[in-house]
Amino acid sequence: MRYSQYFIPTLKETPADAEIISHQLMLRAGLIRKVASGIYNYLPLGLRTIRKVEAIVRAEMDRAGALEILMPMANPAELWQESGRWEKYGKELLRFKDRKEAEFCMGPTHEEVVTDIVRREVRSYRQMPLNLYQIQTKFRDEIRPRFGLMRGREFIMKDAYSFDVNEAGAIAAYDKMYQAYRRIFERCGLNFRAVEADSGAIGGNYSHEFMVLADSGEDAIVSCNSCQYAANIEKAEARPPGAPEHCDPRPLEKVVTPGQRSIEEVSTFLGIAASETVKCLIFVADGEPVAVLLRGDHELNEIKLSKVLGASELALADEALVSKVTNAPVGFAGPIGLSIRVIADLAVAGLRNVVVGGNAADLHLKNANPGRDFTPSLYADLRNVVHDDLCPRCQGGVLEMWRGVEVGHVFKLGTRYSEAMKASFLDNDGKEQFVYMGCYGIGIGRTAAAAIEQNHDAGGIIWPMAIAPFEVIVTMLNPNDESVRTTAEALYTELQGLGVDVLLDDRDERAGSKFADADLIGIPLRVTVGARGVKDGILELQERRSGEKDLVAIAAMAAAVAEKVRLAKA
Ligand code: 9G3
């Protein structure tokens, strides 16, 4: 492609409404443009990267034995009513009516439509295992679309669905997808972790998220520094605390703490560590108030709490309820003398002589001891793990914290959809059974955005070779110089012949601005063609990421570039 004939509308200024670097750079480098909130045009350069990610995904899905299909964006309401999700989802599900007043939604995911295919066409165990996938535009009417392609309303997703005759088959399908996903993100050149994820109501370890590591990532994840354990913080566990060291309990003591409400305020006021306090949070779980105790420096994990309580609705109590339950304004709740249910995190059991709220205005209590002064009805893992917690799976490992962008998710579904929609088959013994399902998603645009979050510098994007829109840019320093033009054109043709994706910068612009554009759009390799080099028979080959320059004979340049491209994708 010749730059002069191409369409790369770059921007000098960083757009004001772009909060994260990938969104800023996608706009500045002319990859995308906003059409409406959370809805984007993919411009030529952006689409090239999208297509490269899709090609890798397709190749690995095909290799894993999945079959490509394409389902409609317009989904009839009837299918969603059968699964029960027409009622379950609110405005995020974008609904519309056709000219006959029949109800539809824009597909936000395709469990219903794919299950309908299978229930109509699959009758015998002999037709499985089956794995169907598509790469398709989805729509979810997010309340607050932001971050460009990271959280758009309209977005491209690869979604796959596996169908098996039993649980063992479903697990084999899951493992195959897990391995395919590892290969996909490795081939994209991304630094990622596959982490255990909260699988909601579905039990077992059959939900993994694929997280691209980036400081700007929305998800907190942990991994063990000594074994393979890795999990989303929503799910991560720490090794439970051992028996506490002996410590003589001291007598309970009142202490006046005027206006000191938060753990931070109370511990500073009393000159103690936050870990020497216990915080008491009042929640309402399915209408019932419950007090939740945590060590002062620990953070509650609401997902763990709702699972432990078996609650479908969980919210912090409002001020009125807190003062009714504790006889005190917010900020002075404590476990001693409460008449509601009290549950505590495992770390609270081993605490001795700690500070707790006094259930009266401006009052705390010192030297509180679990077992003596208060007895929770249940101890459970309720907190988020922290850096340096011990690994729950191995001896001696400690947990490290990372931030990540979720680019893929694999789930075991079981028979949730096949039962609701009556997708059954006749097994080996002629008995009717429901199919076992799994579902597997990759955000295509989000993968491109995450690649930028992880690979950029002050000059712009640094694409991993495998998903770069072009692999090399050949920059003519002076396109009006006959020898420069001839040499650059010959190299361009030769590179194309070797199958290299090459962009020829033939524009009549200053060298500095051409280099700046090449850096901004993130092409991994750059060959500079100037009159001096042409005269000496030697050109400069520069790497975008390291800035390292090699001098290469003109005759050897195309082969040298092709070899670097090959190695970078290997
Ligand atoms: C909806 C709406 C939003 C949704 C869903 C349904 C998320 C929904 C979860 C999934 C699960 C898997 C197949 C590919 C892999 C992920 N947001 N999810 O089901 F109606 Cl409005 O999409 N689906």
Side-chain angles (χ1 to χ4, degrees):
M1 184 52 63
R2 285 162 206 280
Y3 207 134
S4 65
Q5 325 274 266
Y6 208 48
F7 182 53
I8 311 179
T10 58
L11 304 172
K12 288 269 167 316
E13 305 293 322
T14 299
D17 58 343
E19 298 168 57
I20 59 170
I21 193 74
S22 60
H23 188 196
Q24 294 169 3
L25 288 174
M26 280 194 174
L27 290 166
R28 281 190 53 210
L31 305 186
I32 60 167
R33 284 294 182 265
K34 184 166 122 174
V35 178
S37 171
I39 299 176
Y40 292 86
N41 289 313
Y42 300 89
L43 301 185
L45 210 53
L47 188 60
R48 285 186 71 99
T49 286
I50 294 292
R51 293 288 184 245
K52 287 200 173 182
V53 175
E54 290 176 352
I56 291 170
V57 169
R58 252 189 201 102
E60 294 300 332
M61 293 304 289
D62 293 349
R63 180 212 288 268
L67 306 173
E68 188 169 3
I69 60 172
L70 188 55
M71 291 180 272
M73 283 194 68
N75 288 198
E78 291 72 21
L79 293 179
W80 285 75
Q81 282 157 350
E82 276 190 73
S83 70
R85 296 210 294 177
W86 186 260
E87 264 69 52
K88 184 183 161 196
Y89 279 90
K91 291 197 158 187
E92 194 184 349
L93 187 63
L94 184 62
R95 297 158 214 251
F96 62 98
K97 286 183 183 155
D98 70 8
R99 63 173 72 212
K100 294 178 182 158
E101 295 284 298
E103 289 196 290
F104 286 83
C105 65
M106 296 278 261
T109 172
H110 280 72
E111 281 82 0
E112 282 78 2
V113 178
V114 80
T115 304
D116 182 54
I117 297 176
V118 166
R119 72 172 165 187
R120 288 167 187 277
E121 315 303 337
V122 172
R123 346 216 116 243
S124 157
Y125 69 95
R126 290 192 201 85
Q127 292 167 278
M128 287 176 279
L130 183 64
N131 187 327
L132 301 174
Y133 81 96
Q134 64 175 346
I135 296 177
Q136 193 233 21
T137 299
K138 305 264 183 270
F139 199 98
R140 293 179 185 174
D141 201 354
E142 297 266 348
I143 300 174
R144 205 156 98 72
R146 62 211 142 115
F147 308 149
L149 298 194
M150 202 72 102
R151 190 175 294 284
R153 292 194 294 168
E154 193 179 286
F155 59 98
I156 304 170
M157 185 199 270
K158 186 285 298 179
D159 45 328
Y161 307 87
S162 64
F163 302 89
D164 284 274
V165 298
N166 55 30
E167 170 110 21
I171 289 168
Y174 182 95
D175 291 342
K176 223 179 214 176
M177 284 295 105
Y178 177 92
Q179 293 303 339
Y181 275 38
R182 292 207 74 100
R183 296 182 59 99
I184 287 167
F185 297 115
E186 253 153 45
R187 280 184 63 180
C188 285
L190 299 169
N191 183 12
F192 69 95
R193 294 280 186 285
V195 306
E196 292 178 14
D198 173 44
S199 48
I202 317 155
N205 273 337
Y206 290 104
S207 174
H208 285 86
E209 289 163 337
F210 290 75
M211 296 282 190
V212 169
L213 302 185
D215 294 337
S216 57
E218 282 196 287
D219 285 277
I221 59 179
V222 305
S223 65
C224 176
N225 70 354
S226 135
C227 77
Q228 291 302 303
Y229 179 70
N232 191 308
I233 192 131
E234 295 178 351
K235 164 98 196 280
E237 301 156 35
R239 179 168 294 274
E245 281 172 40
H246 179 77
C247 175
D248 286 327
R250 293 193 291 263
L252 195 64
E253 208 181 293
K254 285 184 182 177
V255 51
V256 177
T257 52
Q260 312 296 312
R261 295 159 188 272
S262 67
I263 292 293
E264 158 106 73
E265 286 166 349
V266 172
S267 55
T268 306
F269 182 80
L270 298 175
I272 58 174
S275 58
E276 298 171 276
T277 71
V278 163
K279 71 177 133 196
C280 176
L281 304 168
I282 312 295
F283 273 84
V284 185
D286 293 338
E288 287 295 313
V290 55
V292 179
L293 306 183
L294 293 148
R295 204 174 81 183
D297 58 326
H298 285 159
E299 202 175 272
L300 176 71
N301 181 317
E302 281 200 37
I303 296 173
K304 291 179 179 178
L305 177 62
S306 41
K307 277 198 185 156
V308 164
L309 293 171
S312 47
E313 267 184 64
L314 184 71
L316 263 176
D318 60 18
E319 272 186 55
L321 183 62
V322 171
S323 47
K324 187 176 154 217
V325 166
T326 66
N327 299 311
V330 173
F332 303 95
I336 302 176
L338 279 186
S339 56
I340 60 171
R341 184 173 180 209
V342 177
I343 72 169
D345 178 66
L346 296 173
V348 172
L351 297 179
R352 296 293 176 266
N353 301 321
V354 286
V355 168
V356 299
N359 295 326
D362 300 335
L363 184 71
H364 280 80
L365 301 170
K366 284 187 359 185
N367 303 327
N369 285 280
R372 183 190 71 179
D373 305 310
F374 62 94
T375 306
S377 64
L378 181 72
Y379 282 103
D381 174 23
L382 298 175
R383 68 176 175 96
N384 283 334
V385 300
V386 292
H387 184 76
D388 283 349
D389 263 333
L390 300 181
C391 177
R393 297 289 156 79
C394 75
Q395 283 297 334
V398 297
L399 299 181
E400 299 179 321
M401 311 273 278
W402 309 87
R403 297 210 64 93
V405 176
E406 182 192 340
V407 288
H409 202 154
V410 295
F411 296 85
K412 188 162 153 276
L413 284 174
T415 55
R416 143 96 182 81
Y417 290 93
S418 56
E419 285 195 40
M421 297 182 66
K422 305 270 177 298
S424 61
F425 66 100
L426 293 180
D427 72 11
N428 215 343
D429 305 318
K431 203 176 128 221
E432 187 172 349
Q433 296 219 37
F434 292 117
V435 299
Y436 285 80
M437 293 174 56
C439 69
Y440 318 91
I442 291 179
I444 301 290
R446 189 184 266 220
T447 299
I452 297 175
E453 290 294 327
Q454 192 175 75
N455 300 281
H456 64 269
D457 64 13
I461 303 170
I462 309 174
W463 284 116
M465 186 65 79
I467 60 172
F470 293 96
E471 292 159 339
V472 60
I473 182 165
V474 174
T475 304
M476 295 184 193
L477 287 188
N478 180 0
N480 300 315
D481 179 316
E482 192 55 35
S483 71
V484 166
R485 183 165 281 277
T486 312
T487 303
E489 293 274 356
L491 181 58
Y492 174 58
T493 308
E494 202 183 347
L495 284 164
Q496 283 181 321
L498 291 172
V500 174
D501 289 331
V502 51
L503 181 62
L504 177 66
D505 192 350
D506 57 345
R507 295 174 301 163
D508 193 5
E509 297 276 347
R510 287 184 307 107
S513 88
K514 295 169 84 161
F515 291 157
D517 283 341
D519 283 353
L520 176 61
I521 67 178
I523 310 304
L525 298 171
R526 189 184 83 204
V527 178
T528 310
V529 185
R532 168 115 39 92
V534 171
K535 192 163 134 275
D536 298 345
I538 289 176
L539 300 178
E540 205 177 84
L541 171 56
Q542 184 168 15
E543 273 185 22
R544 171 69 181 86
R545 189 182 297 275
S546 64
E548 273 169 32
K549 295 173 182 174
D550 278 343
L551 292 175
V552 180
I554 293 175
M557 182 59 90
V561 169
E563 181 60 6
K564 277 196 188 268
V565 170
R566 192 186 66 78
L567 283 176
K569 290 199 282 193

